[in-house]
Amino acid sequence: MPNISFAEQVNHNFDRAASLTNHDPSLLAQLRVCNFVCRFAFPIERDNGKIEVIRAWRAQHSNHKLPTKGGIRFSNDVNEDEVIALASLMSYKCAIVNVPFGGAKGGVKIDRRQYSDAELERITRRFAFELSRKNFIGPGIDVPAPDFGTGAREMSWIADTYQALNNEELNALACVTGKPVALGGIRGRTEATGLGVFYGIREAVNVAEDMKQLGLPLGMEGKSVVIQGFGNVGYHCAKFFTAAGAKVIAIAEWDGSIHNPAGLNIAEVDEHRKETGSIVGSPDSKQLDPSCDALELPCDILVPAALENVITDENVDRIQASIIAEAANGPVTAAASEKLFQRGVMIVPDAFLNAGGVTVSYFEWLKNLSHVRFGRMEKRYEENAFRRVLKLVEGATGTVITEEQLRVAAHGAEEQELVHSGLEETMSTAYHEIRALRLKLGAPKIDLRTASFVDAINKIASCYGDMGIFP
Ligand code: GLU
């Protein structure tokens, strides 16, 4: 396959899946195309008084459901093709996990490490202002979220700018998700993508037939894991995989990689990184020789959790993992993906696996529209109902239930527990949907990525069908 761009790779995956469906070609053309792209160039003042022109994009790939949804990334590698590719992936991702949004993505072409906090604030607020001016943001229009290089702080600047411009809009806070909890965010959003990756892989490694085919034991316990990228997603993957009994044997970061065949202590790595700014030198870890790429280490599960195109034609033959968990968007090129599939490597695709972020964004958006915290109405009521039932059991059986036992058993759900449980249900249901579709389409010849694209195409096509636009 010739060297093709990121958006062309997504379209290549789309076309392969589309050829397995019976949809009208004109409908497929509509599902594939990116509906709108807005290109921005705006000035900001640097701290030294100089003016700099910042380039940014926002793409809305599919408006079959509104609002459109997707993160905003800050990276020097941002370009129009990348933003379109990521917006397309968002449309398919939302469909796969049954989140009722169209797909969008934004990008600001900066290396965030070169800017002070005050400069980053000026860039973010100005971008939010420009998006608002072009009607490219709003609770029912297009709702950004964090992505590579952005987080809750940037989202709070966007929400505040949008609110200032739309001060009569009751639902203004729903214009962006991934906000700090005090500013309309939801408990559980920060860890959502990493936790979603964990839930998705947990489902995959618990299917006996699939593990037998890979020659791996069932379950998460003892599996060796290599993680590339220790940002928000990579860190939370490492944390949840370890808590479930897997061993994170190596972590790669831009300034160096660390390893420990017995398993790294994730809390210590995180602590060390907070103190020194780097994972290198963490207690109980060795730095990996710079000539050796962590991606190429033998392991059960390889988790690329940073940017796209890290497993390519160039290094694919040296990849030794049995399972690739695409926590990032587009980490494996289309050509490399085909080679790995031929070799029997299981790729759990991005459009399903990293959907935890947007799933919990959906919960946050619902919370903002309803103006009430999840669990507020029912928590106490549930606790009292559980207590009444337990007291009945006590009376009927003569077993004494202590106050401590009552407290544990009759516990009503908090917001974060509801969010985690909604996320678990979403990821688990979606995994079994795409796995079943793969079998129906003719596994082993069909990979999970193709099955997930067919799933997305069918779901989005049915929206147009229901609107009577296409047959
Ligand atoms: N940036 C994340 C993604 O790529 C989250 C998007 C969102 O929450 O809207 O899925």
Side-chain angles (χ1 to χ4, degrees), residues 75-127:
S75 154
N76 236 348
D77 298 327
V78 163
N79 58 55
E80 193 165 313
D81 181 88
E82 182 193 66
V83 172
I84 291 174
L86 293 166
S88 322
L89 278 174
M90 285 308 302
S91 296
Y92 309 137
K93 193 185 297 190
C94 291
I96 291 163
V97 290
N98 303 306
V99 164
F101 295 138
K105 199 71 158 207
V108 179
K109 190 175 171 53
I110 54 166
D111 173 359
R112 57 167 301 141
R113 285 171 303 211
Q114 307 303 322
Y115 295 84
S116 69
D117 287 348
E119 289 170 336
L120 289 171
E121 179 168 356
R122 289 200 284 280
I123 293 170
T124 311
R125 285 185 180 276
R126 179 64 190 253
F127 188 36

Side-chain angles (χ1 to χ4, degrees), residues 36-350:
F36 304 103
V37 190
C38 204
R39 180 163 52 81
F40 301 85
F42 52 83
I44 63 122
E45 188 179 343
R46 301 289 309 247
D47 291 342
N48 62 9
K50 293 225 163 75
I51 300 295
E52 186 177 314
V53 177
I54 303 290
R55 289 161 62 76
W57 291 262
R58 181 78 182 169
Q60 295 172 358
H61 168 260
S62 174
N63 304 74
H64 68 288
K65 283 189 196 277
L66 288 174
T68 49
K69 190 85 188 76
I72 291 182
R73 65 173 50 181
F74 285 0
S75 154
N76 236 348
D77 298 327
V78 163
N79 58 55
E80 193 165 313
D81 181 88
E82 182 193 66
V83 172
I84 291 174
L86 293 166
S88 322
L89 278 174
M90 285 308 302
S91 296
Y92 309 137
K93 193 185 297 190
C94 291
I96 291 163
V97 290
N98 303 306
V99 164
F101 295 138
K105 199 71 158 207
V108 179
K109 190 175 171 53
I110 54 166
D111 173 359
R112 57 167 301 141
R113 285 171 303 211
Q114 307 303 322
Y115 295 84
S116 69
D117 287 348
E119 289 170 336
L120 289 171
E121 179 168 356
R122 289 200 284 280
I123 293 170
T124 311
R125 285 185 180 276
R126 179 64 190 253
F127 188 36
F129 172 78
E130 296 295 341
L131 287 170
S132 184
R133 250 190 354 165
K134 293 284 167 215
N135 215 14
F136 254 61
I137 184 171
I141 301 171
D142 186 358
V143 179
D147 199 86
F148 185 86
T150 55
R153 183 183 66 162
E154 285 72 19
M155 301 308 115
S156 75
W157 292 331
I158 294 175
D160 188 53
T161 306
Y162 182 84
Q163 259 187 327
L165 293 167
N166 301 275
N167 65 350
E168 281 182 14
E169 191 170 331
L170 182 63
N171 292 323
L173 275 181
C175 74
V176 66
T177 58
K179 302 177 292 288
V181 174
L183 248 177
I186 195 166
R187 291 162 188 82
R189 177 62 183 85
T190 310
E191 67 272 31
T193 309
L195 184 56
V197 170
F198 165 73
Y199 285 142
I201 295 298
R202 191 193 61 186
E203 292 306 310
V205 299
N206 276 320
V207 179
E209 202 185 318
D210 297 350
M211 288 308 104
K212 200 168 148 211
Q213 221 158 50
L214 291 171
L216 294 177
L218 198 63
M220 198 63 99
E221 188 73 41
K223 291 243 172 350
S224 56
V225 181
V226 171
I227 298 185
Q228 183 239 2
F230 201 60
N232 179 41
V233 180
Y235 161 69
H236 283 106
C237 284
K239 183 175 150 184
F240 293 116
F241 277 106
T242 309
K247 276 187 309 183
V248 176
I249 56 165
I251 301 176
E253 258 292 320
W254 62 279
D255 60 341
S257 305
I258 54 170
H259 73 126
N260 179 348
L264 293 159
N265 181 325
I266 303 307
E268 280 181 4
V269 176
D270 185 45
E271 201 48 46
H272 181 82
R273 200 251 312 260
K274 280 189 186 127
E275 273 166 24
T276 66
S278 174
I279 60 168
V280 177
S282 301
D284 294 329
S285 79
K286 281 211 177 93
Q287 183 169 5
L288 204 65
D289 190 297
S291 67
C292 170
D293 191 338
L295 286 171
E296 297 167 12
L297 291 173
C299 63
D300 297 324
I301 307 173
L302 173 62
V303 189
L307 288 171
E308 61 266 18
N309 292 344
V310 292
I311 300 177
T312 64
D313 252 345
E314 194 279 314
N315 61 358
V316 64
D317 294 332
R318 298 192 297 276
I319 300 295
Q320 301 186 62
S322 305
I323 299 174
I324 297 183
E326 292 190 331
N329 288 307
V332 185
T333 64
S337 195
E338 260 154 49
K339 281 195 181 165
L340 290 163
F341 181 58
Q342 298 310 332
R343 269 174 40 200
V345 175
M346 179 190 222
I347 300 182
V348 187
D350 49 2

